[in-house]
Amino acid sequence: MSLNATFTTVPFLHDISYEVLGDFNVVKSASTLGLAFLAFYVYRLFFPNAKGSIRQLGGFPAVTAWTFFSKRADFLWTHFKRSKEPHFRFQVLQHQVVALRGEEARKAFFDTRSLDFTEGYKILMGAAPRLNDIDIDINNTGDVSWFNKHILTLLNKKRLTDVLPTLLEDINNRMLGWGKQGRFDPFKNIYDLVFQMTVRMASCSELANNREVLDEMQKLYWQLERSATPTALLLPWFPSPAKKRKEAATKALFEKLHGFVEDRRNAEAPSSDAVDMLIAQGHSNVDIVGFILSVIFAGVINTGVNSCWALVYLASHKDWKAKAKAEVDALIEKHIGTSSVESLSKQLATIPISAWEDEMPVMEGVIRETLRMTVTGTALRRNLLEELTVSNGTIQKGDFVAYSMVDVHQNAEIYTNPYEFDPRRFDAGREEDKKATFAFMGWGAGRHPCTGMKVAKLEIKIIVAMMLAGFDFDVVDKNGDHMTKIPVPDRNDIHQARPVGEPCFFQFERIVD
């Protein structure tokens, strides 16, 4: 680009250029050219060109967007606080991203057909494995309706009833490994439970029962989750270590899962496991592996985060812990009685699914409030169909769109004392989650509700029930001292939402076998 062309595109520099260059008569000097480009950069930094009616962040795109990938919540709310506008836009590579806030924007974000769920996460999230990256052709990649259809088939009430005893036995075996008393990191041990349960629901018993392979898969899973570094996302063509690790982990996961699927295809008799059901429906090994990976990456983080934090909040609020434990005890007494000599896991396994779903109002409130406190990440979409107007701002076709859940879940205009754990806020007569459109986003909303909500809630309930009925536990610091300051989820930790600052642990003692 010539110097004059540069000035022409930036009227402010064009107006002052001839006075400066005329006075010094150094139009072609390298020093003046350097100063001109420095002035151009400073102008773009402090007076960025708006695109449409949405404020555009200035600066070098890679530098501006870096924090979006490393500390996403801080990035969004730092820029929102600088203006009263309900949106701003910034550049990632060649793409434009529009960040939204406010009720009108939230309704449009979750209800507009043009805003595509799958495309939104491809570039801006990047952790989930894509088999195409390792040259594996898959028919249903990105097909949310196909995924949801099969999730509903596999997670129906009959199958949940059939698998419940095995899920509880998985939990019990893991908990026996903790010993009679001690201390553990819930963001490790509880995630181990959730990972095994998710794999069991999505694959086959041969895999779910193989602890060695499960541990290997879990390492690969976290390797993939942490592969979405700013470098890998902003420079996708660069052969960074993170990109190489992602490809290696994706290939290793595919090979492990493909082997188990092939073994089930060649088995003498079919089972009631998910893999056999998908084989019976005529799906290829590749499509089945893709489905299993999708379930794992959709389920482990969400159920893991909320199981951990439900227990942390209960351990930190003795009144709610007592209420939740009393509810579990009452459920056992009603459906089993107090004279059973069976293990706790076997007793809980006899409680019908309908009771887990309909007879635990305290636990429902605890889970709902836990979701409100922890679901503070950023939902992503891409506008695929047509130009949109949202909150008087223009979202172009092809733009990515981001909505931070902090905007609603920690909004003091909706939730009284939003940073306090208070399950009563959802009680009849108060119902703070009904104050605004889509005021509660814990299970999705609009065009994309959470298809796996029922099984996720069931898994959280049985984990919490096993802890409340089987253990006495408290939340402590690394020295084993009770934490007087209640831990707070790190909004920037998109993988596990671990506590900000000091880590927390559970000091426990088994009270029931």
Side-chain angles (χ1 to χ4, degrees):
M1 179 182 288
S2 69
L3 186 60
N4 277 338
T6 301
F7 287 147
T8 302
T9 59
V10 186
F12 172 75
L13 291 182
H14 190 277
D15 290 344
I16 67 170
S17 61
Y18 291 108
E19 179 180 352
V20 174
L21 297 179
D23 287 345
F24 294 100
N25 195 28
V26 286
V27 175
K28 297 182 180 179
S29 72
S31 60
T32 305
L33 185 61
L35 287 172
F37 276 108
L38 177 61
F40 172 70
Y41 169 71
V42 171
Y43 174 78
R44 287 298 307 273
L45 185 62
F46 293 101
F47 303 97
N49 293 326
K51 187 172 183 178
S53 53
I54 297 179
R55 175 172 58 104
Q56 176 93 36
L57 302 185
F60 291 120
V63 175
T64 301
W66 190 270
T67 313
F68 177 76
F69 294 103
S70 58
K71 293 185 177 180
R72 186 161 295 179
D74 289 354
F75 171 86
L76 293 172
W77 288 99
T78 295
H79 289 291
F80 272 133
K81 287 176 182 176
R82 292 175 179 171
S83 169
K84 293 182 179 180
E85 294 298 317
H87 37 51
F88 65 86
R89 64 167 62 242
F90 58 97
Q91 190 168 335
V92 174
L93 302 174
Q94 72 272 29
H95 306 292
Q96 285 286 323
V97 183
V98 177
L100 298 174
R101 67 174 169 180
E103 184 175 11
E104 180 184 345
R106 181 167 65 251
K107 188 175 186 305
F109 183 94
F110 290 100
D111 254 354
T112 303
R113 178 171 171 266
S114 184
L115 298 181
D116 188 83
F117 177 91
T118 305
E119 287 295 318
Y121 284 89
K122 271 187 180 178
I123 292 176
L124 301 184
M125 203 72 174
R130 292 199 291 254
L131 297 183
N132 293 333
D133 292 344
I134 57 170
D135 299 323
I136 301 293
D137 291 329
I138 182 168
N139 295 327
N140 300 297
T141 182
D143 189 341
V144 176
S145 61
W146 185 91
F147 176 79
N148 288 339
K149 173 186 173 183
H150 287 84
I151 278 287
L152 290 172
T153 300
L154 293 173
L155 304 183
N156 59 61
K157 194 168 186 176
K158 181 183 182 305
R159 185 156 189 270
L160 291 180
T161 299
D162 292 341
V163 79
L164 179 61
T166 311
L167 293 177
L168 282 160
E169 192 61 26
D170 287 340
I171 297 172
N172 185 56
N173 289 335
R174 291 274 182 176
M175 289 181 170
L176 286 173
W178 302 347
K180 292 285 186 181
Q181 59 183 10
R183 187 188 315 160
F184 69 81
D185 177 359
F187 294 89
K188 168 65 171 64
N189 290 34
I190 301 301
Y191 265 91
D192 290 345
L193 297 177
V194 171
F195 190 85
Q196 183 174 8
M197 295 164 73
T198 306
V199 169
R200 184 174 297 283
M201 292 299 300
S203 63
C204 59
S205 298
E206 290 85 353
L207 174 54
N209 293 336
N210 192 324
R211 185 73 66 88
E212 183 179 349
V213 175
L214 279 177
D215 290 345
E216 292 173 0
M217 285 181 59
Q218 197 168 356
K219 288 178 183 177
L220 293 169
Y221 167 84
W222 287 115
Q223 188 171 311
L224 279 166
E225 281 290 354
R226 296 185 176 107
S227 69
T229 64
T231 301
L233 293 168
L234 287 169
L235 304 172
W237 46 265
F238 182 69
S240 65
K243 182 178 181 180
K244 292 178 180 178
R245 287 194 298 269
K246 180 179 180 180
E247 290 176 355
T250 300
K251 184 177 181 181
L253 274 174
F254 174 80
E255 290 174 349
K256 288 182 186 299
L257 290 171
H258 191 277
F260 281 95
V261 174
E262 184 63 20
D263 288 345
R264 287 308 314 157
R265 191 179 290 278
N266 296 325
E268 292 183 3
S271 71
S272 60
D273 291 336
V275 167
D276 284 28
M277 294 173 67
L278 292 168
I279 290 173
Q281 292 171 11
H283 298 297
S284 69
N285 288 6
V286 170
D287 284 344
I288 294 171
V289 171
F291 175 80
I292 296 171
L293 287 173
S294 296
V295 174
I296 291 173
F297 276 80
V300 169
I301 281 189
N302 295 321
T303 306
V305 164
N306 293 299
S307 297
C308 287
W309 279 103
L311 290 166
V312 169
Y313 288 133
L314 288 174
S316 303
H317 297 81
K318 302 302 182 185
D319 54 339
W320 281 104
K321 183 181 177 184
K323 289 178 183 179
K325 186 178 187 312
E327 184 173 75
V328 172
D329 292 342
L331 201 67
I332 293 173
E333 183 175 356
K334 176 180 177 180
H335 292 278
I336 304 158
T338 57
S339 60
S340 176
V341 295
E342 295 281 4
S343 67
L344 176 61
S345 61
K346 290 186 183 301
Q347 290 182 50
L348 295 178
T350 64
I351 297 174
I353 293 294
S354 58
W356 289 103
E357 292 178 347
D358 303 329
E359 298 178 20
M360 303 187 78
V362 173
M363 194 72 76
E364 286 283 341
V366 167
I367 292 173
R368 197 168 182 81
E369 178 68 342
T370 299
L371 286 162
R372 187 193 67 81
M373 297 281 283
T374 61
V375 178
T376 54
T378 303
L380 303 168
R381 301 285 188 271
R382 191 176 191 184
N383 183 22
L384 295 184
L385 300 181
E386 59 190 3
E387 183 179 287
L388 301 173
T389 299
V390 178
S391 298
N392 296 319
T394 301
I395 299 175
Q396 307 289 339
K397 180 180 178 180
D399 283 354
F400 287 84
V401 188
Y403 177 79
S404 171
M405 302 295 189
V406 173
D407 177 59
V408 61
H409 283 168
Q410 296 182 354
N411 189 331
E413 294 181 2
I414 299 174
Y415 294 106
T416 306
N417 299 320
Y419 298 100
E420 294 183 6
F421 180 79
D422 181 12
R424 290 190 188 89
R425 67 175 78 249
F426 304 109
D427 288 352
R430 188 171 170 186
E431 297 173 314
E432 294 180 356
D433 54 328
K434 303 238 179 108
K435 286 183 178 178
T437 304
F438 299 152
F440 179 76
M441 303 297 304
W443 301 113
R447 295 177 59 81
H448 296 286
C450 177
T451 316
M453 178 184 70
K454 283 192 173 183
V455 70
K457 284 207 288 189
L458 176 65
E459 289 178 347
I460 296 170
K461 285 176 180 179
I462 62 178
I463 290 172
V464 174
M466 285 286 287
M467 282 292 294
L468 290 172
F471 296 88
D472 185 16
F473 64 98
D474 188 19
V475 61
V476 299
D477 61 21
K478 62 183 179 181
N479 299 316
D481 297 323
H482 174 74
M483 297 188 77
T484 55
K485 186 177 180 181
I486 299 171
V488 176
D490 184 350
R491 299 188 310 185
N492 291 308
D493 181 358
I494 62 175
H495 304 299
Q496 288 182 282
R498 283 178 174 269
V500 174
E502 185 180 5
C504 69
F505 302 87
F506 285 160
Q507 190 80 36
F508 72 93
E509 180 178 359
R510 180 182 287 273
I511 56 176
V512 174
D513 290 328

